[in-house]
Amino acid sequence: MTPDDLSLICRIVRARAGYVIDQAKAAMIENRLGPLVRREGFNSLSDLVTAIKTKRDERLVWALADAMLPKDTAFFRDRTPFSQFRDVILPDLEQRLGTQPLRIWSAGCATGEEAYSLALALDEARAGRGGRAIEIVGSDLSDRCIERAAAGIFSQMEVQKGLPIRYLVRHFDRQDEAWHLSASIRQKVQWSRVNLISEISTVGQFDVIFCRYVLGGFDDLMRKQVLSQLAGALNDNGYLIVGRDEAVLDQAVGLSPVWGSSDVYRRDPALRIVA
Amino acid sequence: MKTCLVVDDSVAIRKVARMILENLGFHVTEASDGHEAIAWCRASMPDAILLDWNMPLMSGIDFLRQLRAEPQGGAPKVLFCTVENDLFHINEALKAGADEYIMKPFDGDVISAKFAEVGLI
Ligand SMILES: C[S@@+](CC[C@H](N)C(=O)[O-])C[C@H]1O[C@@H](n2cnc3c(N)ncnc32)[C@H](O)[C@@H]1O
């Protein structure tokens, strides 16, 4: 890899996804792109970069940006945000929304574990039994992730990192070494490809947005821009949940932390809840 | 310090499990079958038991049923850890009183996720 090639890769990722990648981390870059090189039938990463430079193939450029983004995720990741969602946020919203529909967004959902965890938590809380409509949207920049998420098929390792066994028994079926999520839970989530650094207003307004372990990859300016878009997509009194240690205090536009927490924010500071 | 009894007839599995659990802050004891495990539990009930299914002399499921009938036998969190990875076995285990279920192969992340699930870390 020449420094020029590395710099081109980093510029593409930044332009397409807003993510800042350190050009000095050549080994990490080559590692992440290895599977793409093989999938696309190139002999080396240099060949792939050359193809991008000469052909300007948009599909390949997006595939490269996609392959560079970290996709780590897990069911009920960090546990607490999901118990807070079920025990505090949901009852609060159910009370305030009356008969209005409840809309929830997993923004940057990777392979779907986050959105499905929310669907499972809602199912357990028997939310919506009074006839209230509940909509869950999972979105990501990565087409490949969205496809996998929609299929709802997970490996044995994936279902063991955060998913309580009672959920596995109740909602999954084992077929050919993999675990298939039941149609009744899969149907609760709608999937779409959304780039958070572009215009996001088409996804609509939400009462809860989970945007966890996504913001950390942006530079300060971009993070602020994405946050104000997310704040704009929240209904009044809606909640934004970010990852642990992803405090958005200085950058939050129209958001304030609830319960002195560093990862749960509320749209309207005047109606802050004190735990 | 929380205690965990690792019950498995494979020395290699016990060794790996011990390493992971000690890193998570547990005091670990080992047994190689259900009989030995019952003896350990009668001497001192552990906080958690990591339990294999297929073992000579007494299987994991027989051990679990006997444990749950002992005085204080309801106390330990029992996590199965076995190659049996179908819903039939998992349901059997839960019915017999298991708290969680790990399908081999496992790694440190799986163990810590499952121990967090039963509230021990
Ligand atoms: C580390 S994963 C986190 C997944 C999940 N939210 C969780 O907490 O487990 C981050 C995800 O954000 C997505 N992502 C990164 N930049 C994005 C952008 N500009 N627009 C939409 N999604 C993006 C990545 O594709 C990846 O799937």
Side-chain angles (χ1 to χ4, degrees):
Chain A
M1 278 280 90
T2 66
D4 275 359
D5 286 352
L6 288 168
S7 140
L8 176 67
I9 291 170
C10 295
R11 273 183 286 130
I12 287 176
V13 181
R14 188 152 186 164
R16 300 295 164 120
Y19 261 47
V20 184
I21 306 278
D22 182 356
Q23 193 180 326
K25 295 188 175 154
M28 182 272 279
I29 294 173
E30 288 182 24
N31 227 334
R32 289 213 184 137
L33 294 177
L36 177 66
V37 169
R38 284 188 292 278
R39 216 165 49 235
E40 295 290 334
F42 291 102
N43 287 322
S44 67
L45 182 49
S46 309
D47 287 0
L48 182 144
V49 173
T50 307
I52 282 182
K53 278 194 273 197
T54 51
K55 291 191 202 137
R56 302 192 174 272
D57 173 351
E58 270 299 294
R59 188 194 59 84
L60 202 54
V61 173
W62 277 112
L64 179 136
D66 178 343
M68 281 302 301
L69 301 175
K71 307 286 175 15
D72 50 288
T73 186
F75 284 102
F76 297 95
R77 188 173 190 171
D78 300 335
R79 301 165 52 82
T80 319
F82 295 90
S83 52
Q84 279 175 339
F85 168 74
R86 190 195 54 208
D87 300 337
V88 187
I89 294 178
L90 188 59
D92 172 54
L93 287 171
E94 284 190 313
Q95 195 199 1
R96 262 185 317 95
L97 285 174
T99 54
Q100 280 170 274
L102 170 63
R103 295 196 79 226
I104 300 163
W105 182 15
S106 164
C109 63
T111 38
E113 283 89 331
E114 181 174 271
Y116 284 138
S117 301
L118 292 165
L120 290 166
L122 285 162
D123 181 78
E124 184 170 55
R126 302 168 60 78
R129 65 187 176 288
R132 175 202 313 288
I134 299 179
E135 243 182 89
I136 307 171
V137 176
S139 77
D140 204 280
L141 174 65
S142 164
D143 291 318
R144 288 171 60 80
C145 278
I146 289 299
E147 232 169 80
R148 272 210 55 198
I153 301 171
F154 298 93
S155 74
Q156 187 153 294
M157 275 294 173
E158 287 163 348
V159 297
Q160 299 205 85
K161 296 185 177 169
L163 187 73
I165 197 67
R166 67 175 191 282
Y167 285 131
L168 188 77
V169 167
R170 210 177 300 150
H171 299 289
F172 288 77
D173 229 345
R174 188 163 172 279
Q175 289 171 37
D176 313 322
E177 303 300 309
W179 290 89
H180 295 234
L181 181 58
S182 71
S184 68
I185 298 292
R186 271 191 289 121
Q187 280 160 6
K188 293 181 194 281
V189 187
Q190 286 150 24
W191 304 100
S192 69
R193 181 182 179 278
V194 175
N195 189 345
L196 294 171
I197 70 168
S198 315
E199 174 63 40
I200 61 168
S201 60
T202 50
V203 272
Q205 295 295 119
F206 293 89
D207 303 296
V208 182
I209 301 176
F210 271 63
C211 186
R212 310 191 66 230
Y213 303 107
V214 179
L215 300 165
F218 302 129
D219 65 24
D220 283 354
L221 194 66
M222 185 63 80
R223 195 176 306 125
K224 191 166 184 169
Q225 215 171 295
V226 171
L227 273 168
S228 49
Q229 289 219 82
L230 292 176
L234 270 184
N235 289 328
D236 275 350
N237 303 308
Y239 294 85
L240 170 70
I241 294 92
V242 300
R244 227 185 241 169
D245 305 323
E246 288 187 318
V248 297
L249 274 184
D250 308 341
Q251 291 149 330
V253 196
L255 295 169
S256 60
V258 270
W259 319 308
S261 137
S262 64
D263 55 1
V264 185
Y265 295 81
R266 198 80 188 276
R267 175 66 198 268
D268 187 349
L271 291 170
R272 194 182 310 178
I273 295 174
V274 182
Chain B
M1 198 182 225
K2 298 224 163 83
T3 53
C4 182
L5 173 62
V6 175
V7 192
D8 200 305
D9 57 336
S10 152
V11 183
I13 296 275
R14 291 205 304 270
K15 201 167 148 193
V16 174
R18 169 186 284 276
M19 223 170 58
I20 295 172
L21 287 162
E22 284 180 348
N23 273 330
L24 292 172
F26 284 88
H27 176 77
V28 176
T29 47
E30 299 178 19
S32 56
D33 66 63
H35 283 305
E36 203 186 317
I38 284 286
W40 269 114
C41 290
R42 284 184 181 148
S44 159
M45 268 311 162
D47 297 301
I49 301 174
L50 191 70
L51 182 62
D52 188 16
W53 194 296
N54 300 301
M55 291 176 293
L57 302 178
M58 186 193 271
S59 71
I61 196 83
D62 288 340
F63 160 79
L64 177 56
R65 292 192 183 112
Q66 189 167 332
L67 170 78
R68 291 307 193 205
E70 295 274 319
Q72 265 87 60
K77 299 288 183 192
V78 174
L79 301 90
F80 258 101
C81 183
T82 167
V83 290
E84 305 296 349
N85 59 5
D86 54 274
L87 285 170
F88 177 79
H89 278 89
I90 300 174
N91 275 315
E92 275 294 293
L94 294 178
K95 245 189 290 163
D99 296 284
E100 258 299 341
Y101 196 100
I102 296 166
M103 296 171 273
K104 290 174 181 168
F106 59 86
D107 63 12
D109 287 349
V110 170
I111 297 277
S112 71
K114 292 292 189 179
F115 276 77
E117 193 50 48
V118 298
L120 286 177
I121 48 178

